[in-house]
Each structure stands twice: as structure tokens, then as C-alpha cells.
Amino acid sequence: MKQNNTMAEEKQDRPTGSYRLYCAAKCFQRPPPSPEKSPEPPKENHGSDVMLSDQSKITVPPQKKRGGWKAMPYILGNETFERLGTMGLSANMMVYLVREFHFTQVTAVNILNIWGGIANFAPLFGAFISDTYVGRFKTIAFSSIASILGMMVVTLTAWLPQLHPPKCHVDQPPVPPQGQCKPATTSQLTILLMGLAMLSVGSGGIRPCSIPFGVDQFDPTTEEGAKGINSYFNWYYTSFTVVILITMTLVVYIQDSVSWVIGFGIPTVLMACSLVLFLVGTKIYVLVKPEGSIFSGIAQVFVAVYKKRRFKLPDDGGDSFNVNDVYYDPPLKGTTVLSKLPLTNQFRFLNKAAMIVDNELKPDGTPISHWRLCTIQQVEEVKCLIRIIPVWAAGIISLTSMTQQGTFTVSQAMQMDRHLGPKFQIPPGSVGVISMITIGIWLPFYDRVLVPALRKVTKHEGGITLLQRIGIGIVFSILSMIVAGLVEKGRRDAANLNPHVQMSVMWLAPQLILMGFCEAFNIIGQIEFFNSQFPDHMRSIANSLLPVSFAFASYLNTLVVATVHRFTGSSGHGGTQGHGHPDWLTNDINAGRLDYFYYLLAGMGVFNLFYFLYCANRYRYKARVEYLEKKPYPHHDDLELDSIKP
């Protein structure tokens, strides 16, 4: 197969729009391109004739085919109801903690950050359990039960008077004055946290398995199956967008203006419907057995390197040096298109894991122990992971800025005029819709107009490189925090000058628009970068890095908030705001200095930008050796060396 054909096929299979990639940023990334189609599609089975001893024939009825589009109503319905349930419960949680549980602003932010961090780490464990032990179907089923239980507990905290503090009847602004309302007791807080913990268990199993389970229902080796997968993603991402709009508008409005019990009860009922619908289709699904986790392969490399730490690597500079004589490099086993990584000298000490020493191979050429001898492919996969970690770490601080949309931005909205007309008020938790509208308008323009124009100038297929796209997103995150600080200063000054006049909530639009640009550049750029730089075998890790980034961003935000709260008030030790002044993040933001907090995040972002530029300048893109098979799916022998691509 010639190289130009390969490049044409790659272009044909590549995702065409950035909008799908944005949706994947909120969920999971599209899987690798579908394999090369078989030249002879399978014939439809209408039954088979069986010859008996007396030459008579009987017709054996065909077995019912599982999967396909007949399984989609159950899977898409399950995913839609599940997202409506979980997102409807969490979209307005900041307001619930402040108004109903009477937490201070800082306490509510820390609870949400810790919960968000756990929920974003959980998919790593869910993917490991699913791939290694129980499979996707059981993981989704048991995780859905955990989500329902968590939602029921949170709903009960709003329903039963014993599970939440008494109503505060003090004449008060949207945020209760600190010390004038009875706070939640330890037992009430424990029950609430128990419900949030069960929700984290549920999301840890559902999020990494929902999209792959839908893809499992189609056969990618047939034309019908390949089209089905593409259509499935279109339906999935469309339903996801609709769910976000519904939860951030209708559900949040019910919670904010009608009843918290009804607002939490509706998502709980929808989640129960999701599980029932999912189980109804049990006999129709294609169930893929667990194939094992890649984490063991990564661990094997480090264990093998440690065991061979005393060995010296051979000098590979001579002309007579043959890699296969020194290192273990067996043929790859996998799907139709395989990417084989060549041996590199970066992080050369890891090459010891693939170095063959005495008595490590069986007579058939296989290793006696995989924990002592690994393949070159395993070693290079670990190197890819190590190379990407510094770039990945640079995204954490920029995501810390994004986490403010659900915390302090909501606190600002609660103190602003949210009226649209004489009767309707925008719920504080709905202001984030502005970022979504920005993304929805910008991405089609970027993909259809700006990228083709940039392509003519830069000669790069994407208009700009992926690292440049991430860097632009980091710049937008810095700008959004600077604008947020300026807007908050103006809001605070106006509120203190005339407490009876409130600024319009639409003054928050500039910072939310800039944050929308940050998401459009930074998050999508990270997803494309991770998926292009990780080997196909490690795509599960690539798609887990963004949730893990959000988890670290939540924990970092918790640390910064706690530090600022401790050292900027009159009770702080060594703080600069003594003489009776409240801290920057006091519960009454009109008395605090939230604008200083935003400026602090912007300053952190500037240092982070320089760190990212340093890492991006030193980053070495992976090289790969592509192997394309000659025989139709699913055979994997007679592989032909096609090309080496940087």
C-alpha cells in the first residue's frame, strides 16, 4: 500500500468539525478511526440447510443478531436520562449549599472543589475495573444504582426537615448574613457528603464506559457498522448539548424559584428511568468481555528497569548495531491499523526494560516473565506518557480559572440584578450558559472560516499547531480573570456606594465570554494533543487526562481559597489585611475583595504561561512506524511496513 493512499485514508477518517471535539471535552473523545473495510461484506444469514443421513434437508432458523440500531433507543435513552439526572443535581449546588445549608462562601466552594476532584478522579478507577474485571455493562448498571442512591440522599436532605438546617427568616440579601442563620449540624453535613460520595462512585463507572458501550454495538468492519458509529456520535453529542441547556435553564429555574425538593426529585426520577431503560435492553446488547488494563503494562516497564538497574546499556552508535539483537521487539498484535513506535534515546534508562539478558526468553521466543522483559512498544508508550506530563501539568492552573464559573461567579450573580422583565429572574446557576453560547457561535466560525484562512498562511493542516492552540487558551484564561477582577471591583464599589441599586448580571458576560474562548482553544486543543501524541493502545489514558486535570484544578483551587481565607483577614496569622478588615473571601462579598482573588489567579496564570512556553519549546513529538495489514479484518498477519512518520 502506498504512502499517498495511507494519507488519503487518514484524512478521510479524521473528524471534520471542532464542535464534536468540544462535546468530547465535556465527556470523552471519539475513538480511533474505523478499520479498513473488508472487500467482501458478510452476507445476510437467512437460515442454513443441514443434510441428514437420508439426504433430506431441514432449515435451521438464524440466530437473532444483537446490537446495532435496535439497541440505540435503550443506550441513548439511558445516557440522556442519566446526564439530565446528574447534571441537573449538580448545576445549582453552590446556591443550595449557601442558601439552604447556610454554609459560608468559602466552605461551599471547598466542598464543591473536593467533590469535583473526587468525581473527576473516579473514572480512572472505573475504567480499570471495567477493562480488567467486570466489563462495561455491569459497570454501568452498578454505577447507575450508586448514582440513584446518591441522588435520593441529596433529595432527602432538601425534603426532610431533620436533614437540613431550619429556614432562616432574617431579612437578608440572597446570601444569608454570616452568624445570623443556624448552620448545618455535623450529622446533616455527613449525610449530604454521603450522597455526594455515592454520586462520585456512579460517575466513576458511567463516564468512562457510556460511549465505548455504544460503540460496541456496531461492527466497524462493515459499511453499515461504520456508518452506525458515526451516526451514534452525532446523536450522542446532540443529546448532550440539549441536556446541558435544559439543566442550566429549566432544572435550575425549578430549583431556584419553585422548590428544591421538586428540583432535585425530577433528576432522581429521571436517573431511575435511565436504569430501567438500560436494563430493558439487556438481551439486545453486544457484551464485550474485559480485555485487561494497560496500567499493568506501564508498571511492568518500571519494575523491569528496577530489576536491571545494575546492567549497562549497549553502545548503539556502531554501523553493525542491530536493535533486534539487543532489545525485545516482537510483532504487534491488535486491530486493523497498528502504530508501532521505534526505539528512541530520550529517557534512555527506560530502554533497559526491553534489553535482553541471559535466560530471559523461552525456546519459542517469548519472555519467561513480563515483569523482567518488556517490549520496545511498551517502553516507548511509557516514554510518551512521561513526555506529555509536563505539558499536561501546565493546563491545571488554566482550568483552575474555569472552576470559578460554578463557584464565585455564581456568588457574584446572587448579588446582582438578574431580572429579565418585571417578573422573570435569571437563576444564578444559569449564567454559565453565556460561555456555552460563545462556544457554539465561535467554533463553527473557527472551523469553517478562520482555519482555512490560517492554513493558507501557515501551511499547517489545523491552521495552528495543537500546542499553539493550548497556549492561546491559557492566554484567554488569564484575560478572563483580569476582566473578572475589574468587573467585581466595579460591582463592589457600586454596591457599597448605594446598597439599594444593583448592577445588571449581564456585566458578568465579558468574563464568561473570554472563558468560553478559553474552553474552545484550551480544552479542545488538549484533547486533540493527547489523542495524537499517545499511542492507540493508550487512548484510555489520553481520554482520562482531562478529567484528572479538572480534579487537580479543583484541589488546587481548594488550597488557594483556604490559604487566602486564612491569611488575608484580621484573624489571619501574618496576613496583610489586619485592623479588623474581613478577609478577601468573606461571606459578604461586598465587604471582601474577591477582585484581589481574581487578580491572584491571573498572576498565577502568567507564571504558568511562561512554564508552558518552556515545555512546549522543548517538547519532542512522537515518531511512529505504521503497519497496515493486507488481509481483511480480523486477521492480523502478513503486516506490511508502510512508513515512518514524525
PDB file of all heavy atoms in Angstrom, residues 6-17:
ATOM      1  N   THR A   6      -2.325   5.938   2.081  1.00  0.00           N
ATOM      2  CA  THR A   6      -2.451   5.967   3.546  1.00  0.00           C
ATOM      3  C   THR A   6      -2.848   7.344   4.030  1.00  0.00           C
ATOM      4  O   THR A   6      -3.718   7.494   4.876  1.00  0.00           O
ATOM      5  CB  THR A   6      -1.117   5.567   4.186  1.00  0.00           C
ATOM      6  OG1 THR A   6      -0.724   4.306   3.683  1.00  0.00           O
ATOM      7  CG2 THR A   6      -1.241   5.503   5.699  1.00  0.00           C
ATOM      8  N   MET A   7      -2.200   8.380   3.481  1.00  0.00           N
ATOM      9  CA  MET A   7      -2.523   9.729   3.900  1.00  0.00           C
ATOM     10  C   MET A   7      -3.943  10.094   3.514  1.00  0.00           C
ATOM     11  O   MET A   7      -4.647  10.776   4.256  1.00  0.00           O
ATOM     12  CB  MET A   7      -1.530  10.713   3.283  1.00  0.00           C
ATOM     13  CG  MET A   7      -0.092  10.526   3.771  1.00  0.00           C
ATOM     14  SD  MET A   7       1.060  11.588   2.913  1.00  0.00           S
ATOM     15  CE  MET A   7       0.469  13.183   3.428  1.00  0.00           C
ATOM     16  N   ALA A   8      -4.388   9.643   2.384  1.00  0.00           N
ATOM     17  CA  ALA A   8      -5.763   9.927   1.973  1.00  0.00           C
ATOM     18  C   ALA A   8      -6.757   9.282   2.901  1.00  0.00           C
ATOM     19  O   ALA A   8      -7.781   9.867   3.257  1.00  0.00           O
ATOM     20  CB  ALA A   8      -5.987   9.443   0.539  1.00  0.00           C
ATOM     21  N   GLU A   9      -6.441   8.029   3.289  1.00  0.00           N
ATOM     22  CA  GLU A   9      -7.344   7.343   4.202  1.00  0.00           C
ATOM     23  C   GLU A   9      -7.380   8.047   5.551  1.00  0.00           C
ATOM     24  O   GLU A   9      -8.430   8.151   6.177  1.00  0.00           O
ATOM     25  CB  GLU A   9      -6.913   5.892   4.385  1.00  0.00           C
ATOM     26  CG  GLU A   9      -7.127   5.060   3.141  1.00  0.00           C
ATOM     27  CD  GLU A   9      -6.554   3.664   3.304  1.00  0.00           C
ATOM     28  OE1 GLU A   9      -5.994   3.388   4.357  1.00  0.00           O
ATOM     29  OE2 GLU A   9      -6.672   2.882   2.369  1.00  0.00           O
ATOM     30  N   GLU A  10      -6.218   8.537   6.006  1.00  0.00           N
ATOM     31  CA  GLU A  10      -6.183   9.226   7.290  1.00  0.00           C
ATOM     32  C   GLU A  10      -7.024  10.491   7.242  1.00  0.00           C
ATOM     33  O   GLU A  10      -7.761  10.795   8.165  1.00  0.00           O
ATOM     34  CB  GLU A  10      -4.746   9.572   7.673  1.00  0.00           C
ATOM     35  CG  GLU A  10      -3.924   8.355   8.042  1.00  0.00           C
ATOM     36  CD  GLU A  10      -2.514   8.735   8.394  1.00  0.00           C
ATOM     37  OE1 GLU A  10      -2.134   9.881   8.142  1.00  0.00           O
ATOM     38  OE2 GLU A  10      -1.798   7.889   8.922  1.00  0.00           O
ATOM     39  N   LYS A  11      -6.944  11.225   6.127  1.00  0.00           N
ATOM     40  CA  LYS A  11      -7.738  12.435   6.023  1.00  0.00           C
ATOM     41  C   LYS A  11      -9.224  12.120   5.964  1.00  0.00           C
ATOM     42  O   LYS A  11     -10.051  12.861   6.469  1.00  0.00           O
ATOM     43  CB  LYS A  11      -7.324  13.228   4.787  1.00  0.00           C
ATOM     44  CG  LYS A  11      -5.926  13.834   4.892  1.00  0.00           C
ATOM     45  CD  LYS A  11      -5.591  14.614   3.654  1.00  0.00           C
ATOM     46  CE  LYS A  11      -4.194  15.227   3.751  1.00  0.00           C
ATOM     47  NZ  LYS A  11      -3.842  15.990   2.557  1.00  0.00           N
ATOM     48  N   GLN A  12      -9.552  11.032   5.320  1.00  0.00           N
ATOM     49  CA  GLN A  12     -10.951  10.671   5.207  1.00  0.00           C
ATOM     50  C   GLN A  12     -11.537  10.298   6.552  1.00  0.00           C
ATOM     51  O   GLN A  12     -12.691  10.582   6.860  1.00  0.00           O
ATOM     52  CB  GLN A  12     -11.098   9.505   4.230  1.00  0.00           C
ATOM     53  CG  GLN A  12     -12.559   9.117   3.978  1.00  0.00           C
ATOM     54  CD  GLN A  12     -12.663   8.008   2.970  1.00  0.00           C
ATOM     55  OE1 GLN A  12     -11.663   7.525   2.480  1.00  0.00           O
ATOM     56  NE2 GLN A  12     -13.870   7.612   2.654  1.00  0.00           N
ATOM     57  N   ASP A  13     -10.741   9.664   7.409  1.00  0.00           N
ATOM     58  CA  ASP A  13     -11.241   9.190   8.694  1.00  0.00           C
ATOM     59  C   ASP A  13     -11.170  10.237   9.787  1.00  0.00           C
ATOM     60  O   ASP A  13     -11.734  10.067  10.843  1.00  0.00           O
ATOM     61  CB  ASP A  13     -10.439   7.942   9.147  1.00  0.00           C
ATOM     62  CG  ASP A  13     -10.820   6.733   8.320  1.00  0.00           C
ATOM     63  OD1 ASP A  13     -11.962   6.708   7.848  1.00  0.00           O
ATOM     64  OD2 ASP A  13      -9.965   5.850   8.174  1.00  0.00           O
ATOM     65  N   ARG A  14     -10.469  11.342   9.535  1.00  0.00           N
ATOM     66  CA  ARG A  14     -10.268  12.311  10.595  1.00  0.00           C
ATOM     67  C   ARG A  14     -11.553  13.053  10.888  1.00  0.00           C
ATOM     68  O   ARG A  14     -12.314  13.391   9.985  1.00  0.00           O
ATOM     69  CB  ARG A  14      -9.183  13.306  10.166  1.00  0.00           C
ATOM     70  CG  ARG A  14      -8.779  14.264  11.266  1.00  0.00           C
ATOM     71  CD  ARG A  14      -7.636  15.145  10.824  1.00  0.00           C
ATOM     72  NE  ARG A  14      -6.436  14.364  10.675  1.00  0.00           N
ATOM     73  CZ  ARG A  14      -5.842  14.155   9.521  1.00  0.00           C
ATOM     74  NH1 ARG A  14      -6.334  14.640   8.428  1.00  0.00           N
ATOM     75  NH2 ARG A  14      -4.746  13.430   9.456  1.00  0.00           N
ATOM     76  N   PRO A  15     -11.863  13.377  12.145  1.00  0.00           N
ATOM     77  CA  PRO A  15     -13.055  14.146  12.472  1.00  0.00           C
ATOM     78  C   PRO A  15     -13.039  15.480  11.747  1.00  0.00           C
ATOM     79  O   PRO A  15     -12.018  16.146  11.632  1.00  0.00           O
ATOM     80  CB  PRO A  15     -12.959  14.343  13.994  1.00  0.00           C
ATOM     81  CG  PRO A  15     -12.082  13.243  14.466  1.00  0.00           C
ATOM     82  CD  PRO A  15     -11.124  12.966  13.357  1.00  0.00           C
ATOM     83  N   THR A  16     -14.184  15.894  11.258  1.00  0.00           N
ATOM     84  CA  THR A  16     -14.255  17.064  10.399  1.00  0.00           C
ATOM     85  C   THR A  16     -14.550  18.344  11.141  1.00  0.00           C
ATOM     86  O   THR A  16     -14.345  19.414  10.608  1.00  0.00           O
ATOM     87  CB  THR A  16     -15.346  16.855   9.348  1.00  0.00           C
ATOM     88  OG1 THR A  16     -16.575  16.577  10.011  1.00  0.00           O
ATOM     89  CG2 THR A  16     -14.990  15.703   8.440  1.00  0.00           C
ATOM     90  N   GLY A  17     -15.079  18.305  12.347  1.00  0.00           N
ATOM     91  CA  GLY A  17     -15.501  19.533  12.996  1.00  0.00           C
ATOM     92  C   GLY A  17     -15.003  19.647  14.411  1.00  0.00           C
ATOM     93  O   GLY A  17     -14.859  18.669  15.126  1.00  0.00           O
TER      94      GLY A  17
END
